[in-house]
């Protein structure tokens, strides 16, 4: 079994929780897993630790504000910014001494954050994996309307009524939201335990999620509503892989900018998945991911495009 280390690293006056599976320092770069939300936790991405059994050290971490990291429920909403989470990621890489040889694998919001990091062209980055991520939140919001319009009759009317009234915590709203989630977030029944763990972490402390995103996946009214990484994508020079699901809330229109604008990129769509392809189609997901890592991301095969 690969060695497992859990702990925290200081980040300013706060602490970031991490879990390291495997031993970094060899030829394969560490795979750093960047979870979604913002305001979720690493739990629903725990099965990526299986890469360590194939020689790839894996780092999971909980972003500030959730999970095992410092919680700040009374922070000013202006505290929670993209810049903050980019700084936290940079700090983690340095503190774990992996900044000279790593791959980022980001899911949903984490993929957009990872792309913003990659666009700065850090010297030690060997590859980028973006899973079910929005390149643009304005585009995401437009696509959410498309998906909502296709829900069964009456469902979106219930959603809109409660959104207008500010009653998104009501049981009726949650029940209507579940229809969307069952189609476009997780098509498995019951939900996998790892996903439930992250879902309840958000429920227990929704500070970051509510501030930056909103009450749910399809009603983005938080501070991210106007944010986009699209203009930065042409600056990414490392080999990149994009994965999404056929039934994903990250629709083809949402994902396509990664494919169109990153110079060295491949896009794989998993036919039986929605927003959690690593849980909905794990065999196919890991086949695609490991193939990419082996072919493009080992230290001796960097394949970097110089600016």
């Amino acid at each position: 079994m690969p060695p497992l280390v859990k702990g925290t690293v200081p980040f300013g006056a706060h602490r970031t929780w991490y879990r390291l599976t495997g031993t970094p320092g060899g030829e394969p770069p560490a795979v750093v897993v960047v979870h979604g939300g913002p305001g979720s936790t690493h739990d629903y991405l725990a099965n990526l630790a299986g890469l360590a059994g194939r020689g790839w050290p894996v780092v999971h971490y909980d972003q500030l504000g959730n999970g095992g990291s410092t919680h700040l429920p009374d922070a000013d909403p202006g505290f929670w910014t993209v810049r903050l989470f980019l700084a936290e990621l940079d700090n983690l890489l340095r503190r774990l001494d992996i900044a000279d040889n790593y791959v980022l694998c980001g899911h949903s919001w984490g993929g957009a954050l990872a792309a913003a990091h990659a666009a700065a062209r850090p010297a030690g980055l060997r590859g980028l994996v973006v899973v079910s991520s929005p390149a643009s939140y304005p585009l995401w919001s437009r696509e959410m309307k498309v998906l909502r319009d296709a829900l069964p009759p009456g469902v979106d009317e219930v959603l809109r009524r409660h959104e207008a009234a500010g009653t998104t915590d009501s049981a009726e709203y949650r029940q209507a939201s579940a229809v969307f989630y069952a189609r476009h977030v997780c098509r498995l029944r019951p939900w996998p335990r790892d996903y439930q763990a992250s879902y309840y972490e958000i429920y227990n402390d929704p500070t970051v999620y509510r501030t930056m995103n909103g009450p749910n996946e399809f009603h983005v009214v938080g501070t991210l509503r106007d944010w986009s990484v699209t203009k930065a994508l042409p600056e990414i020079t490392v080999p990149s892989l994009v994965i999404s699901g056929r039934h994903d809330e990250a629709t083809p229109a949402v994902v396509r900018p990664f494919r169109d604008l990153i110079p060295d990129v491949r896009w794989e769509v998993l036919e039986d998945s929605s927003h959690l392809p690593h849980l909905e189609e794990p065999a196919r997901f890991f086949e695609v991911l490991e193939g990419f890592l082996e072919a493009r991301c080992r230290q001796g095969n960097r394949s970097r495009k110089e600016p």
Side-chain angles (χ1 to χ4, degrees):
M1 294 289 292
L4 174 64
V5 176
K6 298 180 183 180
T8 64
V9 297
F11 174 49
H14 315 300
R15 301 197 72 86
T16 300
W17 180 94
Y18 73 90
R19 184 181 80 177
L20 171 60
T21 310
T23 305
E27 178 191 349
V31 177
V32 180
V33 182
V34 188
H35 67 68
S40 186
T41 62
H42 79 285
D43 301 87
Y44 75 100
L45 294 159
N47 68 346
L48 270 74
L51 292 169
R54 300 165 180 84
W56 302 86
V58 178
V59 175
H60 288 86
Y61 75 105
D62 288 338
Q63 294 163 25
L64 190 66
N66 287 86
S69 296
T70 304
H71 288 234
L72 297 162
D74 298 321
D76 186 273
F79 175 79
W80 304 108
T81 64
V82 175
R83 181 176 298 179
L84 171 75
F85 290 107
L86 287 171
E88 182 185 34
L89 176 56
D90 287 340
N91 180 73
L92 180 74
L93 296 171
R94 291 193 303 270
R95 295 282 185 175
L96 296 184
D97 197 24
I98 57 174
D100 62 344
N101 191 30
Y102 65 101
V103 171
L104 289 184
C105 180
H107 175 264
S108 197
W109 137 261
L113 186 71
H117 174 94
R121 301 183 180 180
L125 182 64
R126 304 291 172 241
L128 172 68
V129 181
V130 173
V131 183
S132 298
S133 299
S136 160
Y137 278 89
L139 180 56
W140 176 277
S141 293
R142 291 197 293 273
E143 286 297 291
M144 291 308 101
K145 183 180 186 307
V146 174
L147 296 180
R148 288 174 57 152
D149 286 347
L151 293 173
V155 173
D156 193 45
E157 187 278 327
V158 171
L159 296 173
R160 285 187 284 106
R161 173 159 46 84
H162 284 287
E163 289 161 2
T167 52
T168 56
D169 286 331
S170 70
E172 186 181 40
Y173 187 82
R174 289 196 300 270
Q175 290 169 2
S177 299
V179 178
F180 181 96
Y181 275 64
R183 285 189 173 199
H184 300 298
V185 179
C186 184
R187 294 164 65 86
L188 300 175
R189 290 293 175 274
W191 280 357
R193 292 179 63 183
D194 288 348
Y195 180 54
Q196 291 186 50
S198 286
Y199 186 86
Y200 286 116
E201 287 278 4
I202 296 175
Y203 180 83
N204 289 332
D205 188 348
T207 303
V208 183
Y209 189 81
R210 290 272 176 123
T211 300
M212 297 185 73
N213 190 82
N216 52 48
E217 298 293 285
F218 52 82
H219 187 50
V220 179
V221 293
T223 57
L224 279 180
R225 63 186 179 274
D226 297 319
W227 184 68
S228 172
V229 75
T230 304
K231 291 182 179 179
L233 297 180
E235 301 301 317
I236 297 173
T237 58
V238 293
S240 300
L241 171 67
V242 176
I243 302 175
S244 61
R246 179 63 64 192
H247 310 282
D248 209 324
E249 62 179 349
T251 65
V254 165
V255 174
R256 192 170 292 116
F258 293 108
R259 194 278 311 273
D260 291 346
L261 297 174
I262 297 176
D264 181 3
V265 65
R266 169 191 169 197
W267 182 11
E268 187 80 25
V269 177
L270 274 62
E271 295 296 330
D272 295 321
S273 293
S274 57
H275 198 53
L276 302 173
H278 65 291
L279 295 176
E280 294 168 288
E281 289 183 80
R284 179 60 181 153
F285 177 87
F286 282 99
E287 177 185 19
V288 172
L289 176 58
E290 291 179 49
F292 170 75
L293 293 174
E294 289 291 345
R296 306 304 307 279
C297 298
R298 281 195 180 272
Q299 191 174 36
N301 183 26
R302 298 179 183 179
S303 301
R304 296 174 63 94
K305 288 189 177 180
E306 296 302 326

